[in-house]
Amino acid sequence: MELSGTAEAGKLLARARRPVVFTGAGMSAESGVPTFRDALTGLWEQFDAQALATPEAFRADPALVWGWYEWRRTAVRRAEPNPGHRAVAAIEARVPGTVVVTQNVDDLHERAGSAAPVHLHGSLFAPRCSACAHPAPVPDGVAEPGEGRPLTPPRCGRCDAPVRPGVVWFGEALPEQAFEAAVEAAYRCDVLLTVGTSGLVYPAAEIPQVAARLGATVIQINPEETPLDAVCELNLHGPAAHVLPALVRAAWGDAAPA
Ligand code: BJW
Ligand code: ZN
């Protein structure tokens, strides 16, 4: 009897000793956090990336950019991890060699129980000085920000320059340690799950490609086709919040932590 994609992927996952779970915005979609490029619902449908997610945009209008990130941070604080995030934490609990690499700037993997996800594109919860990079406190109890409404950024406690969001904008280098950890995990892994990413943004999109080139089995979880289809042995078409728990059950049965 031919195995279904999920059953086959479950067998591969159950045998894995050094899996990598590589996630993008689709991972958090069912927590109500919008993706970037999905038609109608993606952030870039509504907002101009060049006016909000570049260093030039912050220099031109720090209040607009800061306000937009305040709005997004407030939305993430109100969101809850979904069963997909919990399934990722369950994989980690089952296989101690698991590495979670995320492009997401939310904290939903951590809140679902993942120990130390590698954040390739920074975090909404790590603001820093735009001049001296000194870490700044996450503002607490700020006025409810409107959708992208200008909101003056706080000043650095060390040099008084404006504080910026601790995320990676277009044209900026990825945090060195995080990128090195991700590349090393891609080199070492036996199975890589690529979940909810369009695979369009580099260098992050190299991670599943590196793993595939070095012989790992790459399994994709995404309702849509992506450029990563070409390097994937299995494509599980569906939402992460459904497919990942099913995959964990296929790998370890109903006794799997979920
Ligand atoms: C579901 C689902 C469900 C829906 N379940 N799935 C031309 C060619 C190649 C490269 C470049 C180029 N021109 C410029 C570049 C470089 C650029 C780049 O890659 N651009 C491309 C867009 C063309 N890259 C950079 O600039 C990077 N830096 C760099 O290259 O530096 C060079 C350098 C070196 C040394 C010194 C200095 C410089 C930096 C990239 C930073 C990306 N930043 C952002 C914003 C972060 C902050 C913020 O959140 O605002 O990161 S952009 C945005 O895209 C965000 C994401 O992490 C990233 C990836 O998006 P992701 O996660 O894949 O989301 P989507 O929306 O694209 O896809 C969602 C997917 O989920 C879809 O497939 C859906 O089907 C699926 N989905 N529901 C499962 N329920
Ligand atoms: Zn400073």
Side-chain angles (χ1 to χ4, degrees):
M1 192 183 73
E2 202 181 312
L3 287 171
S4 76
T6 308
E8 198 178 336
K11 285 201 157 185
L12 292 163
L13 183 59
R15 282 203 295 266
R17 289 294 158 263
R18 294 178 305 280
V20 167
V21 187
F22 174 69
T23 68
M27 179 83 230
S28 300
E30 276 140 300
S31 295
V33 181
T35 65
F36 294 92
R37 296 173 184 81
D38 278 299
L40 302 178
T41 56
L43 285 170
W44 297 158
E45 286 274 316
Q46 208 187 337
F47 299 100
D48 177 2
Q50 290 306 318
L52 291 162
T54 63
E56 295 76 24
F58 186 72
R59 276 197 293 277
D61 196 341
L64 176 69
V65 173
W66 181 259
W68 189 65
Y69 281 95
E70 281 291 286
W71 165 64
R72 287 182 50 206
R73 187 153 44 72
T74 300
V76 164
R77 274 198 169 131
R78 290 182 180 146
E80 293 295 333
N82 67 54
H85 294 104
R86 287 193 286 277
V88 171
I91 295 170
E92 274 183 88
R94 277 275 164 176
V95 191
T98 306
V99 180
V100 178
V101 177
T102 187
Q103 298 166 84
N104 297 345
V105 295
D106 64 44
D107 60 351
L108 297 178
H109 279 303
E110 288 91 332
R111 281 158 57 193
S114 283
V118 175
H119 279 275
L120 287 180
H121 291 161
S123 164
L124 290 169
F125 300 93
R128 65 173 190 272
C129 174
S130 58
C132 76
H134 189 59
V138 180
D140 204 19
V142 289
E144 184 72 12
E147 274 196 21
R149 194 186 309 148
L151 191 70
T152 308
R155 316 293 298 193
C156 172
R158 196 154 77 176
C159 79
D160 206 41
V163 167
R164 59 161 283 175
V167 301
V168 181
W169 286 323
F170 288 114
E172 293 188 312
L174 273 53
E176 205 172 318
Q177 272 193 343
F179 190 58
E180 276 173 12
V183 171
E184 193 189 321
Y187 268 83
R188 286 168 40 83
C189 74
D190 41 17
V191 170
L192 182 142
L193 305 179
T194 174
V195 185
T197 178
S198 58
L200 292 171
V201 175
Y202 282 83
E206 282 169 11
I207 297 301
Q209 298 178 29
V210 165
R213 264 202 307 278
L214 294 176
T217 302
V218 179
I219 299 167
Q220 178 163 242
I221 295 156
N222 197 312
E224 307 292 336
E225 293 180 357
T226 79
L228 295 173
D229 287 14
V231 301
C232 292
E233 192 155 317
L234 283 169
N235 279 292
L236 306 180
H237 288 294
H242 295 245
V243 176
L244 278 167
L247 183 57
V248 168
R249 281 194 300 275
W252 296 291
D254 285 333

